[in-house]
Amino acid sequence: MSEKAVVIEAPGGAEQLKLMDVEVGAPGPGEIRIRHEACGLNYIDVYHRNGTYALPLPARLGMEGAGIVEAVGEGVAHLKVGDRAAYASNPPGAYATARVMPAKCVLRLPDAIDFETAAAMMLKGLTVQYLLRKTLPQGGLQPGDFVLFHAAAGGVGLIACQWARALGLQLIGTAGSDEKCQLALDNGATHAINYRRDKDFAAKVREITGGRGVKVVYDSVGADTWEGSLNSLTPFGLLASFGGASGPVPPFSVSTLAAKGSIYVTRPTLFTHIATREATQAMGDELFEMVASGQVSIRIDKRYALADAAQSHRDLEARQLLGSAVLLP
Ligand SMILES: NC(=O)c1ccc[n+]([C@@H]2O[C@H](COP(=O)([O-])OP(=O)(O)OC[C@H]3O[C@@H](n4cnc5c(N)ncnc54)[C@H](OP(=O)(O)O)[C@@H]3O)[C@@H](O)[C@H]2O)c1
C-alpha cells in the first residue's frame, strides 16, 4: 500500500526533509502496522536529520506517534487490530501516515488520552519518568529538595515542571526568555532563571538554595550549560546530562568531578530504559496515570501538517516552541 513518509536522503538542514510516497507492507513477527493520527516532534529528530546521530540513508524520521493498530504480526499478544495505541520507539519512522514497527514499545492508549496528546507526550513523558523517578542522587530525592532543570519550558521541560510539583520537589527551571520562565512557573517550577540574560545561572542557583546548591541537575542543553551545571551542585550531587541542544558537552577531565565536590555524572538515554516490553509498560502506566489524573497536562504549542515538517524543525531549532508540537498526517 502506498503511504506518505518524511524522508532524508542526506544529513543537513531542515530543507532535507521531504514528504515521499513509500510502501508500507504487512507486519512480520513481533511487529504491528499502525495508522497514525498524530506524530510527535522531538529534538532527537533534529540530531537524526543533521547527522549528530548518524542514520543509514535514506532514512525516515520521528520516534513518537499515536494511532490505530491496523495489523498485528505473529507473536504479538498485547495489541489487536483496532486498538488505540501510542509509542516512543526506535527505529525512526513516525513522520508518516502509517508504518510497520516493532510492537515491543507500543502501548494501548487509555480512552482518557486523545491521540494528539499521546503523540506529544510519549517520548518526552517517559523521559521525565525515568529522570525524576530513576535518575537520582545518592539517597534519592525527598519533598522539598531542590533540582535544577534546564530548558524548563520545552517539551520535556514543561512535563518535568508538573511532575516535580506532584513529587513535592522545588524545581529551579532555566529558560531562554521571560515568557518561557513564566510558563515554567505556571506549570510548577518554584523558581525560574532566564539563562540568556543571567548567564551565571549557577550564582542564581546558589542564591536560591542559600548557598548549598542542588542535589541534581537535569541538563539537556549540553555545551552552553555544562560548566554552570557543575557549579550548581551540592557535594555528592548528580549531573544527569541527557542531551545537547546547544551542542555536545566538551571533553572534561575526571578530576574536575573531585574538584567540584565528589560529584557524579551520568549520560542516560530513554532507549536503555525502554529496552523491554515490561519496563516500557510499567513506565507508560505511570505516565498515563499522571496525565489521566490531571497532575500533568500536555501543552501542544503548534500543529503542523506532515508536509510542513521542515518548518517544525526550523521553529524547534530557533527555540520558538513552548512545550510540545505535533505533526498531523
Ligand atoms: N537522553 C534522553 O533520553 C532524551 C530523551 C528526550 C529528550 N532528550 C533531550 O531533551 C532535550 C529536550 O527535548 P525536547 O524534544 O523536549 O526539546 P525542547 O526542550 O522543546 O527544545 C529544546 C530547547 O532547548 C533549549 N536550547 C538551549 N540552547 C539551545 C540552542 N543553542 N539551540 C536550540 N535549543 C536550545 C531551548 O529552550 P530555551 O530557549 O528555553 O533555552 C529549546 O526550546 C533535547 O536536548 C533532547 O535531545 C533526551
Side-chain angles (χ1 to χ4, degrees):
M1 202 189 320
S2 184
E3 299 285 350
K4 296 275 185 200
V6 175
V7 177
I8 57 164
E9 290 172 318
E15 71 286 350
Q16 294 297 335
L17 299 170
K18 309 247 166 62
L19 190 63
M20 293 188 177
D21 291 325
V22 295
E23 289 303 310
V24 177
E31 293 181 333
I32 58 147
R33 190 172 71 227
I34 184 167
R35 178 152 305 276
H36 289 130
E37 295 282 336
C39 320
L41 176 68
N42 288 284
Y43 220 87
I44 193 171
D45 307 340
V46 172
Y47 307 141
H48 282 147
R49 191 209 71 219
N50 67 20
T52 302
Y53 298 165
L55 294 174
L57 297 167
R60 298 186 193 178
L61 257 64
M63 309 289 285
E64 182 177 52
I68 307 264
V69 177
E70 257 186 1
V72 174
E74 201 187 308
V76 176
H78 69 290
L79 293 168
K80 61 181 189 324
V81 172
D83 277 349
R84 301 170 74 252
Y87 66 86
S89 176
N90 262 320
Y95 292 7
T97 49
R99 72 180 295 195
V100 166
M101 65 180 297
K104 194 179 72 171
C105 293
V106 183
L107 302 180
R108 283 184 60 189
L109 186 61
D111 290 340
I113 302 175
D114 63 70
F115 288 120
E116 289 188 10
T117 300
M121 75 180 211
M122 291 302 290
L123 195 146
K124 302 163 193 79
L126 292 174
T127 298
V128 173
Q129 195 281 343
Y130 89 71
L131 289 174
L132 293 183
R133 304 273 291 121
K134 300 185 196 163
T135 309
L136 301 174
Q138 279 196 321
L141 287 171
Q142 282 77 43
D145 280 345
F146 283 104
V147 306
L148 176 61
F149 208 106
H150 291 305
V156 173
L158 276 191
I159 298 173
C161 289
Q162 298 173 76
W163 203 313
R165 174 171 58 192
L167 294 172
L169 301 172
Q170 299 202 65
L171 182 145
I172 305 170
T174 60
S177 70
D178 290 345
E179 182 197 8
K180 287 183 174 187
C181 284
Q182 189 56 52
L183 188 63
L185 292 169
D186 293 345
N187 279 272
T190 53
H191 305 78
I193 303 169
N194 178 343
Y195 55 6
R196 278 177 129 171
R197 188 182 53 226
D198 295 320
K199 299 222 181 294
D200 188 0
F201 62 82
K204 289 267 171 203
V205 168
R206 295 276 163 201
E207 260 176 47
I208 293 166
T209 59
R212 292 193 305 278
V214 295
K215 283 190 173 176
V216 55
V217 180
Y218 297 105
D219 187 339
S220 66
V221 173
D224 288 356
T225 46
W226 173 252
E227 192 64 33
S229 292
L230 289 172
N231 292 335
S232 297
L233 283 162
T234 197
F236 306 108
L238 171 68
L239 174 43
S241 169
F242 70 103
S246 68
V249 168
F252 68 98
S253 160
V254 174
S255 58
T256 306
L257 307 182
K260 302 288 180 189
S262 302
I263 64 169
Y264 296 77
V265 172
T266 184
R267 202 317 182 179
T269 168
L270 174 64
F271 301 105
T272 319
H273 287 275
I274 58 172
T276 67
R277 192 188 117 58
E278 292 70 26
T280 311
Q281 187 69 58
M283 292 168 69
D285 287 345
E286 209 176 302
L287 171 62
F288 292 151
E289 172 56 26
M290 291 302 285
V291 174
S293 67
Q295 293 179 87
V296 169
S297 71
I298 306 299
R299 180 191 167 106
I300 301 177
D301 193 30
K302 282 204 178 160
R303 293 166 175 80
Y304 300 87
L306 207 50
D308 295 332
Q311 189 57 46
S312 74
H313 277 221
R314 287 189 191 103
D315 292 348
L316 183 59
E317 289 179 277
R319 306 165 75 159
Q320 281 175 7
L321 299 179
L322 304 171
S324 300
V326 290
L327 303 176
L328 300 175

